[in-house]
């Protein structure tokens, strides 16, 4: 077991919890436009709980991700809990036999995590969901593996942000936002936004430590 890899995972979750707390009101406002208005509060609460669960954790990275996934399942309300739970449990499964988190390993893990989200939510690109940020991020990461971990992380984060922004003109086809029909167009998807935020934090935290 690579203790440095476990520490890197915990660092990412801690930094993500801080970022989600800072962005809670923004995410709530985005969600209020097309949903219940509580996505930011739910995500901040879930990641704060995950930080608490990882306090003193000394297992492997896969176990850390599974702990996060199970915690989000039980603490994040609405559709986001099962979807983000599936995301982190997907990461866990892909990294079960990996000692370190490197560019190639993270690419495989992110691909598995996105597939888990799609299985859970039955969402495809263009449905105006978190998949619209996660799938481009996974593709960009796979395409940049040979450039080194920091560059691959940066490419993944940039693709996720572009994908989240591209949800603005879309008409939602999944989730509560889909009930609005054409009125959902013109509003950025909050789940895609929080997904892009997490991958930006990964690039910021891991891109520095892996140089």
């Amino acid at each position: 077991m690579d203790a440095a890899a476990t520490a890197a995972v915990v660092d990412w979750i801690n930094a993500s919890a801080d970022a989600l707390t800072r962005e809670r009101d923004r995410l709530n406002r985005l969600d209020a436009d097309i949903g219940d208005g509580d996505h930011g509060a739910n995500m901040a609460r879930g990641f704060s709980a995950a930080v608490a669960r990882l306090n003193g954790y000394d297992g492997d990275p896969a176990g850390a991700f599974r702990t996060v996934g199970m915690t989000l399942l039980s603490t994040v309300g609405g559709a986001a809990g099962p979807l983000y739970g599936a995301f982190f449990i997907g990461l866990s499964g892909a990294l079960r036999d990996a000692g370190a988190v490197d560019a190639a390993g993270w690419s495989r893990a992110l691909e598995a995590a996105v597939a888990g989200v799609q299985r859970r939510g039955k969402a495809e690109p263009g449905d105006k969901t978190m998949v619209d940020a996660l799938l481009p991020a996974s593709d960009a990461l796979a395409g940049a593996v040979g450039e080194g971990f920091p560059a691959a992380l940066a490419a993944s984060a940039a693709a996720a942000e572009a994908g989240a922004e591209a949800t603005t003109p879309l008409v939602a086809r999944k989730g509560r936002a889909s009930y609005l029909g054409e009125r959902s167009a013109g509003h950025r998807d909050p789940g895609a936004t929080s997904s892009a935020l997490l991958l930006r934090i990964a690039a910021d935290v891991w891109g520095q430590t892996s140089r």
Side-chain angles (χ1 to χ4, degrees):
M1 188 266 296
D2 187 337
T6 295
V9 170
V10 173
D11 286 347
W12 178 41
I13 300 303
N14 289 343
S16 295
D18 290 342
L20 287 164
T21 296
R22 291 194 303 271
E23 294 292 319
R24 177 177 52 204
D25 291 344
R26 177 187 176 224
L27 292 170
N28 281 344
R29 287 193 298 271
L30 291 175
D31 194 33
D33 290 334
I34 55 175
D36 293 329
D38 58 1
H39 183 66
N42 285 339
M43 292 295 289
R45 180 177 64 251
F47 272 77
S48 293
V51 167
R53 288 287 302 276
L54 289 177
N55 184 33
Y57 179 83
D58 61 358
D60 61 11
F65 281 132
R66 182 167 182 82
T67 295
V68 173
M70 297 304 292
T71 302
L72 297 180
L73 273 172
S74 63
T75 59
V76 176
L83 292 172
Y84 272 104
F87 178 81
F88 281 96
I89 290 170
L91 293 178
S92 172
L95 291 171
R96 189 172 295 122
D97 298 321
V101 181
D102 57 12
W106 183 241
S107 180
R108 291 190 295 270
L110 188 57
E111 182 179 0
V114 176
V117 170
Q118 289 192 273
R119 283 194 300 272
R120 170 70 73 161
K122 311 300 183 187
E124 298 295 333
D127 283 347
K128 198 182 182 88
T129 72
M130 61 195 288
V131 169
D132 290 306
L134 291 175
L135 194 56
S138 179
D139 290 344
L141 184 69
V145 163
E147 299 174 20
F149 202 16
L153 288 167
S156 179
E161 176 57 30
E165 181 59 32
T167 64
T168 300
L170 298 177
V171 174
R173 295 198 293 258
K174 293 290 181 180
R176 186 176 179 85
S178 66
Y179 302 159
L180 298 176
E182 296 291 335
R183 288 179 295 153
S184 64
H187 302 286
R188 180 167 162 146
D189 182 69
T193 302
S194 60
S195 297
L197 176 63
L198 293 182
L199 294 181
R200 169 51 58 194
I201 297 301
D204 291 345
V205 172
W206 293 346
Q208 294 298 320
T209 59
S210 60
R211 291 183 189 277

